[in-house]
Amino acid sequence: MTASSKWYTGVTRYQWLVLIVASLGWVFDAFEGQLYNITRADMLPDLLQVKGDDPLVKLWGERFLGIFLIGGTLGGWIFSSLADKWGRNPVMALTILCYSLFSGLTYFATEIWHVGALRFLVAMGVGGEWAVGAALVAEVFPKQARERASGIFHATSVMGLWMAAGASLLVGTQWRYAYLLGVIPALLVLWVRISIKEPESWKQAKREKADRMGSFTELLGDPLWRLRALLGAGLAMVGLATFWGVVVAGQDLAADLLKRLDDPDWASKSKIAFGFIQTAGAGLGMLAFGPLSARWGRRRTFTVMHLMALMMTPVVCWVPSHFMSYGLLLCLLPVFGFFAQGIHAGYAVYFPELFPTHLRATGAGFCFNTGRILAAPVLIWLSAFMKSAFDLRLAITCLGGLFLLGLVFLAFLPETKDQDLPE
């Protein structure tokens, strides 16, 4: 690619189609994952038969986030390996069916354990779909367009977050109807099966390395792939623990401030603050990761975003509450989201570049989804304890210190800018 040419020069119609289909799978993936966070304030008191400010609501809320991460890990491990063994097309369709159908069944939940079991199964599909989509986009797009296409793929999750926020506002306190909408993504399956072809690199790897496709034994047995997988999982753990423990707390911060301002519309306003305002900044951050990593490199872009997220966490927690200004909070939340959630697009850009074709989905899925299981204790014990025992702002500020840990893992990972995918 010459200095004057655009990154999308030479990208074919089929390659754009792959990006659209993979992105739609990820959009609905994010929609299903976020439905719980948006509806739990109404759902949990209903099922627990307690008031909304009962400590049990907060405790079970954090536990279910941990259960979701564990289910995502298991599904990610299983489906990412199957994507290398069976192909990207059938496994993408299977993961979409998994998360959409079990999300829809949440409409019928009558006991708290029903929600836990169904969220676990939804998470299995959610965890598997990401790895398949990320590997597919990385393999289909040319080198000069890869980081931007992968960044766009991950950034489209914002549409899913907006859809979930919109669904929550549409159904109000009737939370069951939001989950009934979760069946809609199942319609995407037919399009996936008809339109997506297996990448040529995967077909060649299947012919030459059929017995090694999606092998966890090779992934964790080879010293190079094992080191990358474990460090990548550590990096993802930081992003996922801070997302569920810090980033989504933007809604809680807004609700806390509005309650102290005696605003009667605190519930709907806090959903808008997080679901639309903060998420808009997050979307811009994820879109920016691709171009920034093309210019600076993957490791430097990650480093800058981690440091800025570390700095913005106490700012968004304490400055608006000091001035008792909801308007100031709305100005800071998009900046906070830009950095704290923008790093997530880097996983779609970076993880597929660390592994060869016959292990690409398996390796990327291992990194992202093992990060889920490593993040689960942070949510189940640390985050749940801190948010119930201490001031919300103090708890979130302390949890934001995890961004520093990401820099430790980055120090031992390679730079992949301008390099061909490993074969």
Side-chain angles (χ1 to χ4, degrees):
M1 184 175 68
T2 64
S4 60
S5 61
K6 303 293 185 181
W7 68 268
Y8 48 80
T9 300
V11 174
T12 67
R13 180 176 297 182
Y14 174 72
Q15 289 165 338
W16 286 121
L17 175 64
V18 168
L19 180 59
I20 291 171
V21 173
S23 296
L24 282 174
W26 182 230
V27 165
F28 289 120
D29 188 314
F31 172 74
E32 305 288 9
Q34 195 61 25
L35 272 183
Y36 167 74
N37 186 61
I38 294 293
T39 60
R40 65 175 179 170
D42 298 311
M43 177 176 66
L44 295 180
D46 183 17
L47 294 177
L48 290 168
Q49 295 296 300
V50 298
K51 293 183 178 180
D53 56 357
D54 191 290
L56 279 176
V57 173
K58 185 175 291 186
L59 181 62
W60 278 101
E62 296 298 318
R63 284 177 175 173
F64 280 160
L65 290 178
I67 289 171
F68 190 82
L69 293 179
I70 295 171
T73 301
L74 181 62
W77 286 343
I78 293 172
F79 287 123
S80 61
S81 179
L82 291 178
D84 282 332
K85 294 177 183 293
W86 295 353
R88 313 321 190 198
N89 180 308
V91 178
M92 177 176 285
L94 186 59
T95 58
I96 294 171
L97 275 178
C98 183
Y99 68 58
S100 57
L101 295 182
F102 287 119
S103 181
L105 287 174
T106 308
Y107 173 88
F108 301 101
T110 57
E111 302 287 343
I112 198 71
W113 70 267
H114 293 169
V115 177
L118 289 169
R119 292 308 292 170
F120 181 87
L121 294 169
V122 169
M124 288 189 67
V126 166
E129 194 280 335
W130 180 88
V132 183
L136 184 63
V137 172
E139 289 169 342
V140 168
F141 272 77
K143 180 171 62 176
Q144 75 273 11
R146 193 170 62 225
E147 64 273 287
R148 292 173 175 85
S150 296
I152 291 170
F153 159 72
H154 199 97
T156 55
S157 63
V158 169
M159 296 174 61
L161 303 183
W162 281 339
M163 288 166 57
S168 176
L169 293 174
L170 178 65
V171 303
T173 59
Q174 302 300 311
W175 58 269
R176 294 180 187 276
Y177 293 104
Y179 289 94
L180 200 58
L181 294 173
V183 179
I184 294 174
L187 300 175
L188 180 62
V189 170
L190 182 61
W191 194 19
V192 171
R193 294 295 290 159
I194 293 173
S195 62
I196 299 300
K197 300 177 292 186
E198 296 300 335
E200 289 301 320
S201 58
W202 181 85
K203 292 179 181 178
Q204 181 177 349
K206 183 70 172 177
R207 289 192 297 268
E208 298 175 355
K209 306 173 183 178
D211 58 335
R212 297 162 57 192
M213 301 293 286
S215 169
F216 281 105
T217 301
E218 181 172 353
L219 178 70
L220 299 177
D222 184 286
L224 176 61
W225 309 138
R226 180 175 63 241
L227 179 63
R228 293 185 176 188
L230 294 177
L231 290 172
L235 184 63
M237 180 273 290
V238 170
L240 291 163
T242 53
F243 176 77
W244 292 109
V246 179
V247 175
V248 300
Q251 180 171 333
D252 298 326
L253 288 171
D256 180 66
L257 178 58
L258 288 165
K259 286 178 183 179
R260 286 189 281 120
L261 291 171
D262 296 322
D263 192 316
D265 297 325
W266 65 267
S268 61
K269 285 186 177 180
S270 62
K271 290 179 180 179
I272 292 171
F274 169 73
F276 292 99
I277 307 299
Q278 179 180 318
T279 301
L284 292 175
M286 288 188 283
L287 284 173
F289 194 99
L292 289 176
S293 67
R295 179 180 292 272
W296 295 346
R298 292 21 166 181
R299 296 171 71 241
R300 185 179 176 188
T301 306
F302 268 125
T303 299
V304 170
M305 286 200 159
H306 277 77
L307 289 174
M308 290 301 298
L310 176 71
M311 184 179 73
M312 283 302 303
T313 301
V315 171
V316 80
C317 285
W318 297 98
V319 173
S321 62
H322 175 76
F323 293 101
M324 295 296 286
S325 173
Y326 179 62
L328 180 57
L329 179 65
L330 293 182
C331 292
L332 291 173
L333 283 176
V335 182
F336 170 63
F338 182 96
F339 296 108
Q341 197 172 341
I343 59 175
H344 287 233
Y347 307 144
V349 174
Y350 191 47
F351 291 160
E353 296 178 332
L354 295 176
F355 303 100
T357 302
H358 68 290
L359 296 175
R360 183 158 297 122
T362 307
F366 180 90
C367 290
F368 194 66
N369 293 295
T370 302
R372 294 181 192 269
I373 196 78
L374 295 175
V378 177
L379 293 171
I380 295 174
W381 291 296
L382 182 61
S383 179
F385 167 73
M386 293 186 70
K387 290 179 181 178
S388 60
F390 301 107
D391 180 271
L392 177 67
R393 295 164 297 175
L394 177 60
I396 296 171
T397 300
C398 293
L399 290 169
L402 288 169
F403 286 112
L404 273 178
L405 185 59
L407 303 183
V408 177
F409 297 117
L410 279 171
F412 299 97
L413 282 163
E415 179 55 62
T416 57
K417 179 178 179 289
D418 296 330
Q419 295 182 18
D420 292 324
L421 293 174
E423 294 299 333

